[in-house]
Amino acid sequence: MDLALLRTFVTVHRAGSFTRAAALLGLSQPAVTSQIRTLERQLGRPLFLRQARGVTPTTIGDELAHKAAPHLDALVEIAETGLDEDSSLRTLHLAGPPEFTAERALPALAELTGADGQGLALRASFGNADETLEGLAAGHHDLAITTARPRGALLTATPLCDEEHVLVAAPRWASRIGPGKVRRKGAHALENLPVVEVHESLPFVSRYWASVFDSRPAASGTVIVPDLRAVLACATTGAGLAVLPRYLCASELERGDVVALHEPPVPPLRTYFLVVRTGTLAMPHIARAHEWLLRTAAHWG
């Protein structure tokens, strides 16, 4: 069986579209379609069901992808590394949300780099869950961190850690609300307060309100900035209340730069997952980073 045909097939399987696969491979869409048809003729079975938007693998297509993809990945790794080069230094391509990746994952993985013989180079990129999983499936990343568990068998997810969310604001807002008022009156005590968030839809605030108060926030965003570290900075200056991961604002809470407005008995949690393409944990550098992050995460408070 022609390895070029298999490579095209796996790329289509991961991309879910002939058009996206063609862009990834640097081929024309007709060339990709022709290669898939050739492979289907050789196997005597259809590999994809054509739909209005993209393609869906058949059972045979899924089975072939799960068998072939890890071996093709390994061959690509050999080709990229080079037989005559020092293979001790391997590059790990990591993707994930900017704040968690920058504050937790990268500092942990940085311990595997340097001049101590660990032999790991890092390349990181940031994105939301959909972007990260799509890039992983397409082969742009080796390891992804996401808050969404992927569906299907092409990607394998392992729970990494839980993130506690806390409702915070500058001390002057806490003084204005008054001690214990949120505990007594719930979300009503927070009405008309300005909100700092990462998106107009108020994803963090809405999730907190639904989990803790069983309601929806009445306020709209006053400051919208797409980075939780910037949200924290704005909340510290008094721009409004915010819902943040506790690890991200722990120092500010300890110093009193921000105050927790409410401490519910069961705080809202969000789970992070480590995701790889199925079969790629057979590659030592990916397996090592995967195991290291899981071990390190066990000590994160």
Side-chain angles (χ1 to χ4, degrees), residues 8 46 48 60 67 69 91 158 223 297:
T8 298
F48 296 103
I60 295 298
K67 288 181 178 178
T91 300
T158 306
V223 177

Side-chain angles (χ1 to χ4, degrees), residues 47-69:
L47 297 172
F48 296 103
L49 300 175
R50 279 69 169 175
Q51 298 179 334
R53 299 182 64 180
V55 293
T56 300
T58 62
T59 302
I60 295 298
D62 268 335
E63 182 179 348
L64 178 61
H66 299 154
K67 288 181 178 178

Side-chain angles (χ1 to χ4, degrees), residues 97-139:
E99 306 88 356
F100 186 89
T101 305
E103 299 289 329
R104 294 218 141 166
L106 284 174
L109 289 173
E111 297 183 42
L112 299 182
T113 66
D116 57 359
Q118 298 288 354
L120 183 69
L122 279 173
R123 299 292 182 271
S125 60
F126 300 146
N128 61 36
D130 290 339
E131 294 167 342
T132 298
L133 291 176
E134 184 175 344
L136 178 65

Side-chain angles (χ1 to χ4, degrees), residues 5 7 21 41 60-62 82 88 92 103 128 136 173 216 227 248-249 263 287:
L5 297 183
R7 179 170 178 258
R41 285 196 300 271
I60 295 298
D62 268 335
S88 63
L92 179 81
E103 299 289 329
N128 61 36
L136 178 65
W173 287 113
R216 299 174 64 182
D227 190 298
L248 194 64
C249 59
E263 295 283 3

